[in-house]
Amino acid sequence: LLALGNDMSDTLMGKIDIIHYVGGYAFAAGLVVRILWLFVGPPTARWRDLLPLTPAQRRIWRETLACYLSGFRRPISPYRGHNAFAGPAYLAFFLIAVAQIALGISLSLMPDSEAMNSPLMVMHEWGFFLLLAFVIVHVALVMAHEIAGRHGLISAMIHGHKGFTESEHQALLTDWNAGISIQADPSGGTEGLDDITSNNRDVTKIRHE
């Protein structure tokens, strides 16, 4: 649509528009499910795991940033699900994606001539480039983590198991237990924490080195 624009015939433009609308609503549905998953999914998919709320998460955030700035020459801190640096990036992605969907729906309700000349169209185009940049950077960093981190990040998305050295595993247990003590309800309630504790050994495999 951006490359050809007005050079396309009305028939071709209409067909591509249909694909564009269907793809946009499918993207919106997927985003809604992912946002709901922040509240009902497993511990490593919930919003608490995406934000640097605990001292351990903030430490991993700093260590991961230092690793990136060093070109992965510094060691990658072990983490169970998403590293603490990825969380704010995901939050930015969700905000841009929601804005992109709202802009797309608004433009679809306008007459074509009005929509093409609307400032919303410019914003919608910039939203596309921002999402495209996120995808490129995201995939590149996943591959870099897979190669440099040696924790089996990509394969863990399939079978749910990462590999850690014994020292890394112990560090994860210490950070995880500290996070549980911070998240626990001062009144004594631990709702939502039992599954975290019981799931702890299910998602890690120790790599002896």
Side-chain angles (χ1 to χ4, degrees), residues 103-162:
L103 289 168
I105 293 175
S106 299
L107 289 167
S108 70
L109 299 176
M110 296 180 183
D112 290 343
S113 57
E114 181 181 346
M116 293 302 297
N117 297 314
S118 172
L120 298 181
M121 180 62 75
V122 177
M123 297 170 64
H124 195 57
E125 292 175 358
W126 275 103
F128 162 75
F129 287 116
L130 288 174
L131 292 178
L132 181 61
F134 177 89
V135 170
I136 294 172
V137 173
H138 182 65
V139 172
L141 287 177
V142 166
M143 295 177 65
H145 273 265
E146 179 74 12
I147 296 171
R150 300 182 302 146
H151 295 144
L153 177 61
I154 295 177
S155 58
M157 298 177 190
I158 301 172
H159 53 60
H161 298 282
K162 283 185 175 181

Side-chain angles (χ1 to χ4, degrees), residues 14 22 50-51 53 67 73 77 127 133 139 147 168 176 184 197-198 202:
V22 172
L50 292 180
L51 298 177
L53 301 175
C67 175
R73 288 188 293 272
S77 299
V139 172
I147 296 171
E168 289 173 338
W176 192 255
T197 307
S198 63
D202 293 339

Side-chain angles (χ1 to χ4, degrees), residues 29-38 44-46 50 82 94:
L31 183 65
V32 169
V33 171
R34 184 61 186 90
I35 291 176
L36 290 176
W37 201 240
L38 290 173
T44 51
R46 293 187 185 179
L50 292 180
H82 300 91
F94 291 145

Side-chain angles (χ1 to χ4, degrees), residues 21-33 93-94 96-98 100-101 131:
Y21 294 148
V22 172
Y25 282 110
F27 178 73
L31 183 65
V32 169
V33 171
F93 168 82
F94 291 145
I96 296 172
V98 169
Q100 185 74 341
I101 291 167
L131 292 178

